[in-house]
């Protein structure tokens, strides 16, 4: 007797036993009777003992066949349960979705997107983790997050992609563009440039003291100001957009802040100015390629796209 039972043959055996004849089982399965008979012969060879007695009236199960039928019924039941559960995942009646997002996106984009997702799939369990892009990418790569909101700094003459453009692939990871997040100069309300209607040149702030943000943001500040012909005098460093604006409001420094941050935490005592060279961040959703077939992931990306489109219109005129 072999230890390996073919599950498919067990299910065919179940149909034969349930219907009482090879011909009836063949009709139900859409097969020929000889094909069903061959499978039953092979099953009996595999187990090494007779499972059914054949007569002109049909088949009668042996004691071993009756015992095996109970296991075949259990197998069919588990398969039905598996199919039902998978359908529930596909319809988002079950499942968990984990999302990582950098702070300003977590404040502006994620809440309304999750509200849209909940209205569509109220049983879906969504979990949010705040993480800067390098950490968020690591979470997606490790499988600890299903998708992540990330950003890349770009300049106007070398854009990474237009908002709402086609997804880009990097190995097993796919990035879906959401929006372009413009960087704005933030100065005290009493600053000499505060009332200017036209975009300023970044070089106009060359002699100022500066507030820098996260390491990646500070690196971008240095690259951007170097292109404008100066090295900024960075006096303060903070990841907190509220702290940065308070330092500016007190006349201690100026800074560059992304539109999402200014939208999330508008400051008082500061003036927001567009910059002529239009530095910006490209915001997108990072996801593993195989999860692009997940109903929950697809629904989440669509909700984020809708919110991002609405938000992008407000960011363009931010001042």
């Amino acid at each position: 007797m072999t230890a390996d039972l073919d599950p498919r043959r067990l299910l065919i055996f179940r149909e034969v036993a349930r219907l009482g004849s090879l011909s009836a089982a063949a009709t139900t399965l859409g097969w020929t009777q000889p094909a069903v008979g061959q499978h039953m012969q092979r099953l009996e060879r595999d187990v090494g003992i007779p499972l059914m007695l054949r007569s002109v009236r049909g088949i009668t199960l042996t004691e071993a066949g009756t015992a095996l039928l109970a296991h075949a019924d259990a197998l069919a039941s588990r398969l039905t349960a598996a199919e039902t559960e998978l359908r529930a995942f596909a319809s988002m009646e079950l499942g968990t979705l984990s999302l990582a997002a950098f702070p300003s996106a977590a404040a502006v984009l994620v809440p309304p997107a999750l509200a849209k997702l909940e209205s569509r799939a109220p049983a879906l369990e969504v979990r949010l983790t705040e993480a800067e892009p390098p950490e968020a990418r690591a979470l997606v790569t490790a499988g600890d997050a299903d998708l992540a909101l990330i950003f890349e700094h770009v300049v106007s003459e070398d854009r990474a992609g237009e908002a709402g453009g086609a997804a880009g692939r990097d190995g097993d990871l796919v990035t879906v563009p959401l929006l372009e997040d413009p960087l704005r100069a933030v100065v005290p309300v009493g600053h000499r440039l505060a009332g200017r209607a036209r975009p300023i040149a970044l070089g106009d702030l060359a002699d100022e003291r500066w507030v820098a943000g996260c390491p990646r943001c500070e690196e971008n500040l240095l690259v951007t100001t170097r292109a404008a012909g100066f090295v900024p005098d960075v006096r303060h460093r903070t990841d907190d957009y509220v702290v940065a604006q308070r330092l500016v409001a007190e006349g201690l420094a100026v800074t560059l802040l992304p539109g999402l941050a200014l939208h999330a935490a508008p400051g008082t005592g500061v003036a927001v100015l567009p910059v002529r060279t239009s530095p910006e961040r490209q915001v997108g959703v990072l996801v593993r390629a195989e999860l692009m077939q997940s109903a929950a992931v697809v629904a989440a990306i669509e909700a984020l796209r809708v919110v991002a489109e609405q938000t992008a219109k407000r960011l363009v005129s931010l001042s």
Side-chain angles (χ1 to χ4, degrees):
M1 173 180 177
T2 179
D4 296 325
L5 286 176
D6 186 334
R8 184 178 62 163
R9 290 199 177 99
L10 285 181
L11 294 176
I12 298 171
F13 166 73
R14 179 175 178 269
E15 286 300 306
V16 172
R18 186 174 65 87
L19 296 173
S21 74
L22 297 177
S23 60
T27 299
T28 299
L29 295 171
W31 293 3
T32 65
Q33 180 173 333
V36 173
Q38 289 173 9
H39 278 290
M40 293 304 91
Q41 292 172 9
R42 179 60 184 271
L43 178 62
E44 288 183 319
R45 286 201 302 270
D46 288 344
V47 300
I49 50 177
L51 298 173
M52 58 187 71
L53 302 174
R54 297 164 179 80
S55 69
V56 293
R57 296 181 179 179
I59 63 101
T60 303
L61 297 183
T62 65
E63 187 176 6
T66 300
L68 184 60
L69 178 61
H71 294 289
D73 284 338
L75 174 61
S77 177
R78 293 302 299 170
L79 288 174
T80 299
E83 183 179 0
T84 300
E85 188 169 6
L86 290 175
R87 277 201 303 265
F89 279 110
S91 63
M92 295 182 290
E93 295 173 2
L94 281 178
T96 300
L97 182 75
S98 54
L99 169 67
F102 59 94
S104 57
V108 177
L109 301 178
V110 173
L114 294 191
K116 290 180 180 295
L117 187 59
E118 184 171 5
S119 67
R120 178 177 175 182
L124 184 66
E125 181 180 326
V126 183
R127 299 176 181 178
L128 169 66
T129 299
E130 187 178 290
E132 293 291 346
E135 292 74 27
R137 177 180 288 270
L139 289 173
V140 172
T141 300
D144 295 325
D146 296 314
L147 65 164
L149 283 168
I150 62 170
F151 66 82
E152 293 288 343
H153 288 287
V154 296
V155 293
S156 57
E157 61 268 23
D158 184 28
R159 296 191 175 189
E162 298 297 324
R169 183 158 180 168
D170 178 15
D172 294 333
L173 302 179
V174 174
T175 302
V176 181
L178 286 182
L179 61 85
E180 290 166 353
D181 187 12
L183 272 67
R184 298 288 191 247
V186 184
V187 301
V189 288
H191 193 275
R192 58 188 169 81
L193 299 176
R196 183 173 294 189
R198 299 188 307 275
I200 67 167
L202 204 56
D204 293 339
L205 301 174
D207 296 330
E208 303 285 347
R209 295 169 294 182
W210 285 79
V211 183
C214 67
R216 295 174 75 239
C217 299
E218 180 172 359
E219 180 183 353
N220 180 69
L221 173 63
L222 295 175
V223 170
T224 303
T225 53
R226 188 179 303 119
F230 71 97
V231 177
D233 177 11
V234 177
R235 298 291 184 92
H236 314 289
R237 292 175 173 84
T238 177
D239 290 345
D240 192 317
Y241 300 130
V242 175
V243 173
Q245 291 183 82
R246 287 303 304 150
L247 290 168
V248 172
E250 294 296 334
L252 300 173
V254 299
T255 192
L256 277 180
L257 288 180
L260 284 177
L262 294 166
H263 189 292
T268 57
V270 300
V272 178
L273 306 173
V275 179
R276 193 177 302 156
T277 52
S278 301
E280 62 188 29
R281 307 188 302 184
Q282 178 71 54
V283 178
V285 182
L286 185 72
V287 61
R288 293 187 67 87
E290 61 267 27
L291 289 183
M292 289 297 287
Q293 303 303 315
S294 163
V297 167
V298 171
I301 292 175
E302 180 56 30
L304 286 166
R305 279 189 183 218
V306 171
V307 173
E309 183 177 355
Q310 297 166 349
T311 303
K313 297 175 182 177
R314 294 192 289 268
L315 297 183
V316 169
S317 59
L318 188 64
S319 61

